[in-house]
Amino acid sequence: MAKKLQVINVKMLLRVIGWLLMIEAFFMLVPLITCLIYGETDYLGFLVAFGLTLLAGIGLTFGLHPRYTDMGKREGFLLTALVWVVFSLFGMVPFLLASSPMSVSDAFFEAMSGFTTTGATVMTSIESLSHGLVLWRCLMQWLGGMGIILFTLAVLPMLNHSGGMQMFNAEVTGITHDKIRPRISQTAKGLWGVYFILSALLCLLLWAGPMDFFESLCHAFSSISTGGFSTRDESIGAWSSTYVDVVITIFMFLGGVNFGLIYRAGRGDWRCFWRNDVFKTYVKIILVAYVLFVIAIYRHGAVYSLKALTIDPLFQIVSTLTSTGLTVSNFENWGIFVLALVFVMMFFGACAGSTSGGAKIDRLIYLLKNTRNELYRCVHPNAILSVRVNGKVVPPDTVSKVIAFLCLYVMIIMVGGILLTAVGIPLVDSFFSSFSCISNTGLGAGITGYGESYEVIPDVGKWILSLLMLVGRLEVFTVLILFTPGFWHK
């Protein structure tokens, strides 16, 4: 007997996308106004993008009348994957209509890189862009850092009853998702509240330094979201400021922490950090990597100042581990060993529930503890052992899911790398670009000597890398499940 197609509430799905598009249109007003303030002609591109996005949102929201408003797991997964693509499609319009227009492939790549906080770019000169486009790039990262769906759950509490938990689980990074408040909309508001406060505080601190308000705002957006876009071609190095390096290092570190922990600490429970195995491991990894970096820098004779042994390695470690992707000016002189450490940190990233990319330290802990148990069972086959994290026993099915995730993660990097070689990209650069994009780090292929930006990647390669960014940001399962027959059938 043929399998029956599972009925999906398409009208409600599109209606929610309509709400989301109206929210995106609202944010487009910010760079539009910025262009007007600076007297830049790119305001026309943002005006058209605003109109198209708003009309599409109104049409989907008020033109459809679903029979019922409930959404289940299928709708949650489908909506979460679709909305990132839809946001990128509308978000690329200002790039297409700019005074120096981009191709469709380049514009979509840049938008997807922004929303997924990957930070990879096809731009050869940021300083030649209008203020509006520069701000839009950073604002996209800020929106994508905490999550588009999560923002919607915060401002549209009605979704609390319409598949809100499914969408929350599908978008928020991590293995398990704990609500910090009784209702999912309250949890979303709490997390976004923390995110907004940290962003505002970072902006003010940078403004108090050598940056003007515009530059401070852009870097606040891109640093707390661990995205890495900048307003200068030389990125943070343009200021040559120890103050800026220290401030951004601190906030990149906070961007890599589970925001649920920061929320609890803000309500007085500071001990939650030291009760959390993942946070403690996060700090230990940074300290160990720092010692190794200092040894490598010293052995390669790259000690140009005290800052080169203190701030620079710490900045690079935190930037890499949190997938921000910013680099210090003399990073290429630190040797191959440092580059190998960078690859390892890119793979695992920071904590789940943060804005960072990568496989997450949580999964590393699960993997190591489960491996230790399996090695013990080789000698004591009848032993009954469990994986314990934060003092709690982890269910075996969760451990199995972590192992499956890590296997898929590696396989996707390999498949992405192979596909990129098929379009003419050298072997090492293909796999590095695939790795960089799925981990949402965005380090340029210049590290492997292929080119300074992703502009040199053929158009087909850019679409492949855009898909890898999406898969990495939504942590594999949310996207891959859409390609399984079981998702579409009862």
Side-chain angles (χ1 to χ4, degrees):
M1 185 177 178
K3 292 182 178 179
K4 294 182 179 179
L5 285 173
Q6 174 69 33
V7 176
I8 293 177
N9 193 352
V10 176
K11 288 187 176 180
M12 187 59 192
L13 195 69
L14 293 174
R15 193 178 186 189
V16 174
I17 290 176
W19 286 327
L20 288 163
L21 285 176
M22 286 192 288
I23 291 172
E24 184 179 17
F26 170 77
F27 279 103
M28 285 179 178
L29 290 175
V30 179
L32 192 160
I33 295 170
T34 301
C35 285
L36 291 174
I37 291 173
Y38 285 93
E40 297 165 334
T41 57
D42 278 350
Y43 81 89
L44 291 171
F46 282 106
L47 186 61
V48 172
F50 167 76
L52 288 175
T53 309
L54 184 63
L55 287 174
I58 291 174
L60 291 174
T61 302
F62 300 104
L64 297 173
H65 303 284
R67 291 183 179 180
Y68 53 97
T69 59
D70 291 336
M71 292 196 298
K73 287 185 177 180
R74 283 177 172 81
E75 286 87 354
F77 282 116
L78 190 57
L79 173 66
T80 304
L82 275 177
V83 77
W84 289 78
V85 176
V86 172
F87 259 53
S88 297
L89 287 171
F90 282 91
M92 74 177 184
V93 175
F95 297 113
L96 296 174
L97 302 177
S99 53
S100 299
M102 300 169 65
S103 68
V104 172
S105 297
D106 285 355
F108 184 81
F109 180 93
E110 198 75 16
M112 181 62 77
S113 176
F115 282 118
T116 58
T117 70
T118 303
T121 184
V122 294
M123 302 285 188
T124 54
S125 176
I126 306 303
E127 293 175 25
S128 64
L129 301 177
S130 66
H131 287 78
L133 280 177
V134 170
L135 181 60
W136 179 233
R137 294 171 80 242
C138 297
L139 186 55
M140 286 191 293
Q141 290 197 326
W142 189 72
L143 281 172
M146 184 54 65
I148 299 166
I149 295 292
L150 195 65
F151 182 82
T152 310
L153 291 171
V155 298
L156 295 175
M158 63 175 295
L159 291 182
N160 195 76
H161 307 288
S162 303
M165 193 63 195
Q166 286 78 16
M167 290 184 282
F168 177 81
N169 289 334
E171 184 182 65
V172 176
T173 61
I175 306 163
T176 57
H177 305 99
D178 299 324
K179 293 193 296 182
I180 59 174
R181 300 288 299 276
R183 298 170 68 86
I184 195 65
S185 59
Q186 293 174 334
T187 296
K189 287 177 182 177
L191 293 175
W192 263 95
V194 170
Y195 191 55
F196 182 84
I197 291 171
L198 290 177
S199 301
L201 182 59
L202 175 54
C203 180
L204 292 174
L205 287 173
L206 291 175
W207 194 17
M211 294 185 182
D212 60 31
F213 179 74
F214 176 80
E215 292 168 330
S216 301
L217 183 63
C218 288
H219 284 95
F221 284 156
S222 63
S223 296
I224 197 63
S225 66
T226 63
F229 279 156
S230 180
T231 60
R232 301 286 187 92
D233 294 337
E234 296 179 51
S235 191
I236 302 300
W239 285 272
S240 298
S241 169
T242 301
Y243 173 81
V244 170
D245 291 347
V246 170
V247 169
I248 288 183
T249 299
I250 293 171
F251 280 85
M252 286 192 299
F253 173 82
L254 292 174
V257 177
N258 187 324
F259 276 77
L261 291 179
I262 299 176
Y263 177 85
R264 291 186 177 93
R267 295 178 67 88
D269 183 17
W270 288 92
R271 294 182 179 180
C272 66
F273 289 118
W274 309 115
R275 293 196 301 265
N276 189 273
D277 293 341
V278 179
F279 178 79
K280 289 187 289 186
T281 304
Y282 178 45
V283 174
K284 289 175 184 176
I285 289 173
I286 292 175
L287 294 176
V288 171
Y290 175 74
V291 172
L292 296 175
F293 268 52
V294 169
I295 293 172
I297 293 169
Y298 184 79
R299 290 193 61 184
H300 277 80
V303 184
Y304 307 112
S305 63
L306 179 62
K307 181 173 176 286
L309 277 180
T310 53
I311 305 302
D312 285 355
L314 194 60
F315 179 95
Q316 192 60 56
I317 290 165
V318 175
S319 173
T320 304
L321 196 58
T322 60
S323 78
T324 308
L326 296 172
T327 58
V328 295
S329 57
N330 57 342
F331 171 64
E332 64 276 3
N333 299 324
W334 293 353
I336 300 299
F337 177 65
V338 167
L339 189 59
L341 292 176
V342 164
F343 287 169
V344 174
M345 290 189 290
M346 281 173 61
F347 184 88
F348 284 106
C351 309
S354 68
T355 59
S356 68
K360 304 296 183 297
I361 292 173
D362 307 56
R363 294 187 176 94
L364 170 63
I365 293 173
Y366 282 47
L367 178 65
L368 292 177
K369 291 192 174 186
N370 185 64
T371 301
R372 181 192 61 190
N373 290 349
E374 293 303 321
L375 291 173
Y376 186 83
R377 287 194 187 98
C378 290
V379 181
H380 307 281
N382 296 322
I384 300 175
L385 302 171
S386 59
V387 174
R388 299 181 68 89
V389 177
N390 298 328
K392 298 178 182 178
V393 175
V394 179
D397 60 329
T398 301
V399 177
S400 298
K401 186 177 180 181
V402 167
I403 295 172
F405 174 92
L406 293 172
C407 291
L408 281 171
Y409 200 75
V410 174
M411 289 170 63
I412 293 169
I413 293 172
M414 293 175 62
V415 171
I418 292 170
L419 290 175
L420 290 175
T421 61
V423 298
I425 303 173
L427 182 67
V428 174
D429 308 294
S430 294
F431 281 90
F432 178 78
S433 297
S434 174
F435 182 26
S436 181
C437 285
I438 196 173
S439 66
N440 298 134
T441 304
L443 287 175
I447 286 183
T448 58
Y450 184 53
E452 289 303 319
S453 78
Y454 286 81
E455 182 198 21
V456 293
I457 303 289
D459 286 349
V460 175
K462 289 169 186 169
W463 288 98
I464 293 171
L465 292 175
S466 296
L467 177 60
L468 290 175
M469 293 179 209
L470 179 64
V471 171
R473 174 58 182 83
L474 298 181
E475 297 205 319
V476 179
F477 290 117
T478 299
V479 177
L480 293 190
I481 197 174
L482 304 182
F483 297 94
T484 60
F487 179 84
W488 301 98
H489 294 86
K490 287 185 179 180

